[in-house]
Amino acid sequence: MKRTFAHRVTAVVVAFIAILAGVALYCFLQRQGAYTLCGLLAMAVAVVAVERTVHTEYVLTDDGVLRVSRGRFARTIDIQVPEITRVMKHHTLLHLADYVLIEYGAGHAVAVQPADDEHFINELKKIQRKYDEGEIVQSGSCLDDGDADDGSAH
């Protein structure tokens, strides 16, 4: 069963987008070359921030992959659930936002902000337990037992 978790929209992100929109409006009202370029830049950053906020999602697939998709302008990160070594909840500076830090593989980490932290972490742990108990076999984990034809005559 594929599970999709929505991204949490925080007040900090909304304030950031509002400030960028205000800066863009102010710059466009000045009607001078340098201000117009500054306004275009602020508008472009605001569009990317809105896109990332609206289209970020976290998907746990049937085959044990956590897919972190951060919108159209960022690459999707695929993490094999058995490779996850640690999942921790953290707070940003001044506790303005909470996030979940996922460490996986050889020193890799990704921070995610699912709308429901506890449910997300519980689902991750449930899938990890299924791998540990052998209910799910990781795709591509079958080893060749040496019966393949290597070109030599028997």
Side-chain angles (χ1 to χ4, degrees):
M1 175 173 72
K2 187 164 94 170
R3 299 287 318 238
T4 302
F5 295 89
H7 178 69
R8 179 183 322 127
V9 179
T10 62
V12 173
V13 172
V14 172
F16 177 69
I17 293 169
I19 289 170
L20 284 172
V23 167
L25 179 63
Y26 173 79
C27 290
F28 287 140
L29 290 175
Q30 296 302 312
R31 296 185 184 185
Q32 295 177 1
Y35 282 104
T36 303
L37 290 176
C38 180
L40 287 172
L41 179 64
M43 184 181 289
V45 172
V47 165
V48 170
V50 168
E51 158 65 25
R52 189 170 180 160
T53 300
V54 171
H55 290 110
T56 294
E57 65 182 8
Y58 314 107
V59 179
L60 285 167
T61 63
D62 294 335
D63 55 347
V65 175
L66 170 61
R67 180 164 289 132
V68 179
S69 173
R70 295 205 168 133
R72 297 180 192 115
F73 302 131
R75 68 179 179 88
T76 300
I77 301 171
D78 287 340
I79 303 169
Q80 297 291 326
V81 173
E83 292 181 8
I84 295 175
T85 56
R86 191 180 336 180
V87 178
M88 300 175 295
K89 285 179 67 172
H90 284 282
H91 306 285
T92 59
L93 185 64
L94 303 175
H95 295 274
L96 294 174
D98 296 334
Y99 64 95
V100 176
L101 183 66
I102 300 172
E103 295 179 3
Y104 63 98
H108 299 286
V110 64
V112 297
Q113 288 183 305
D116 186 0
D117 298 9
E118 295 300 325
H119 187 66
F120 176 77
I121 292 171
N122 289 338
E123 286 295 319
L124 261 174
K125 288 181 179 179
K126 186 188 315 180
I127 292 174
Q128 281 184 320
R129 276 194 302 272
K130 286 181 180 180
Y131 270 101
D132 292 343
E133 294 169 0
E135 293 178 33
I136 302 175
V137 177
Q138 185 173 0
S139 60
S141 64
C142 297
L143 297 176
D144 185 15
D145 59 357
D147 292 336
D149 186 18
D150 60 359
S152 61
H154 293 285

